[in-house]
Amino acid sequence: DYCLIRIRHNKMNKSIDIFHKKVYSIDRPHGGGVVIKGGVIMNTEQKKALQALKTCSGQIDGIIKMIEDGRYCIDISNQILAAEANIKRANKLILAQHISHCVSDAMEDEENKEVKLNEIKDIISKLLK
């Protein structure tokens, strides 16, 4: 079972969804994680990804303010690049987590193995566009 965590940026009216495995036993945390609010496990990679997304959210707020204040275009563009870098970093951490745990676990089950491998192929094709 999975739990959906939605991070919402109100001013941009955008949201990012992150799925986490629910905790059934604190003795068996998924990926060496720690229990957080709502019985969800968050490991080191996921915490780093979440922090990168929170940083990005703050950067986007700052970019909006810069535009509203009529700041220099190159300064705005540099901040947009920094926000994009944080989103890419978060995505890389989440995908590494997925490969290390979800895909690795699925290799034991032939039917699930094909599903997970196809998911990875699909996401790689999207990343390479």
Side-chain angles (χ1 to χ4, degrees), residues 4 20 23 42 48 57 63-64 81 97 105 107 111:
L4 170 67
H20 295 281
V23 177
M42 187 175 296
K48 288 178 183 177
S57 178
I63 292 165
I64 291 168
L81 291 172
Q97 168 68 24
D105 292 347
M107 291 301 122
E111 186 178 319

Side-chain angles (χ1 to χ4, degrees), residues 1-17:
D1 290 346
Y2 286 84
C3 175
L4 170 67
I5 295 178
R6 179 165 283 152
I7 301 169
R8 184 144 185 92
H9 190 281
N10 292 330
K11 289 184 181 177
M12 296 296 289
N13 199 24
K14 301 270 183 192
S15 63
I16 298 171
D17 294 342

